[in-house]
Amino acid sequence: MSQVPENIVWHSQTLSKGDRASQKRQNPSVLWFTGLSASGKSTISNAVERKLYDLGHHTYLLDGDNVRHGLNKDLGFSDSERVENIRRIGEMAKLFADAGLIVLSAFISPFRADRKMVRDLVEEGEFIEIYMATPLSVCEQRDPKGLYKKARKGDIKNFTGIDSIYEVPESPEITLNTAECDIEACADKVIAYLKQNHIIHD
Ligand code: ADP
């Protein structure tokens, strides 16, 4: 990774992350949804964000496809571009957490090392890895965007689960299998975790 250029000095700000978070009465965190395409990352992260909003919390959702329309539109899907994609998203998640928000991110993020890079970027205990353990067979059957079909035909290269690997998390904070729990139940499981771990309060 490149070094910070010479003569660029971090400027301390008057208000701290703690100030911004306590005004919002929550502990900043990064809810990192990871899993295969169609495993339910977008659906469940949206449902969790809605629940947090209804409870009066302050959130921001970063979604894979949307980020690739803007900030990361110059990046493709080669291994090195996937790494850079996640690095930028990690830095963005860190900024939003610094703003005092509960950040939700929904990216395949197939590589363990990249997820660890983001975990290490933010403060201890802030990174909550949510592994979407929906089996490939179910994801492929859902195929809401027709991407698996294209990948099987060879029309899309480097498609995770087909011809690009997905490294299963070794010790995720939360595991959800959307083949076995409905949207409401999966989202409730995340909210329960946040309460148990004092990220949000009852
Ligand atoms: P990803 O963001 O991981 O690519 P999406 O959330 O976009 O996945 O797609 C998941 C698809 O599965 C959606 O079409 C959704 O309606 C469907 N689905 C069916 N059952 C569930 C469930 N229990 N949880 C989440 N998604 C579900």
Side-chain angles (χ1 to χ4, degrees):
M1 204 176 297
S2 59
Q3 296 293 305
V4 174
E6 227 184 319
N7 303 323
I8 303 284
V9 179
W10 187 265
H11 196 283
S12 308
Q13 297 172 345
T14 309
L15 279 179
S16 70
K17 176 182 188 175
D19 294 329
R20 291 186 283 264
S22 67
Q23 187 189 44
K24 297 174 178 56
R25 292 186 296 162
Q26 61 191 27
N27 287 316
S29 55
V30 177
L31 310 185
W32 191 272
F33 292 78
T34 170
L36 297 172
S37 179
S39 61
K41 301 179 298 297
S42 293
T43 305
I44 305 300
S45 58
N46 272 281
V48 171
E49 188 180 33
R50 179 81 231 180
K51 281 180 186 282
L52 288 170
Y53 178 88
D54 290 343
L55 289 168
H57 290 292
H58 300 259
T59 58
Y60 197 74
L61 173 63
L62 300 166
D63 186 280
D65 288 346
N66 298 353
V67 171
R68 280 185 179 275
H69 274 103
L71 179 68
N72 290 358
K73 70 178 172 190
D74 56 325
L75 300 176
F77 290 88
S78 67
D79 285 3
S80 64
E81 286 168 306
R82 282 177 192 262
V83 173
E84 176 60 10
N85 183 47
I86 297 302
R87 190 192 71 78
R88 289 186 200 171
I89 290 158
E91 290 287 354
M92 211 168 22
K94 182 178 175 165
L95 284 174
F96 281 119
D98 195 57
L101 299 174
I102 297 172
V103 187
L104 303 98
S105 76
F107 303 92
I108 298 174
S109 45
F111 303 131
R112 250 176 232 137
D114 300 350
R115 297 190 299 259
K116 172 145 190 337
M117 170 178 71
V118 182
R119 189 184 281 274
D120 292 345
L121 262 181
V122 298
E123 281 179 38
E124 179 85 31
E126 245 174 42
F127 185 83
I128 297 160
E129 192 168 13
I130 303 174
Y131 169 44
M132 306 304 292
T134 314
L136 173 63
S137 56
V138 175
C139 298
E140 193 163 357
Q141 204 175 0
R142 287 179 180 163
D143 205 9
K145 297 171 192 160
L147 299 176
Y148 283 98
K149 199 176 273 176
K150 284 189 187 168
R152 287 285 183 199
K153 276 178 38 193
D155 293 345
I156 305 177
K157 295 271 175 249
N158 301 321
F159 196 74
T160 305
I162 306 295
D163 58 351
S164 183
I165 58 160
Y166 178 80
E167 295 176 344
V168 170
E170 280 164 340
S171 45
E173 277 71 13
I174 303 172
T175 299
L176 301 174
N177 178 349
T178 63
E180 288 173 356
C181 70
D182 65 19
I183 297 170
E184 185 73 13
C186 286
D188 280 341
K189 201 170 160 185
V190 177
I191 298 293
Y193 179 94
L194 298 179
K195 285 182 177 167
Q196 277 156 17
N197 289 276
H198 311 292
I199 289 159
I200 61 174
H201 305 289
D202 273 320

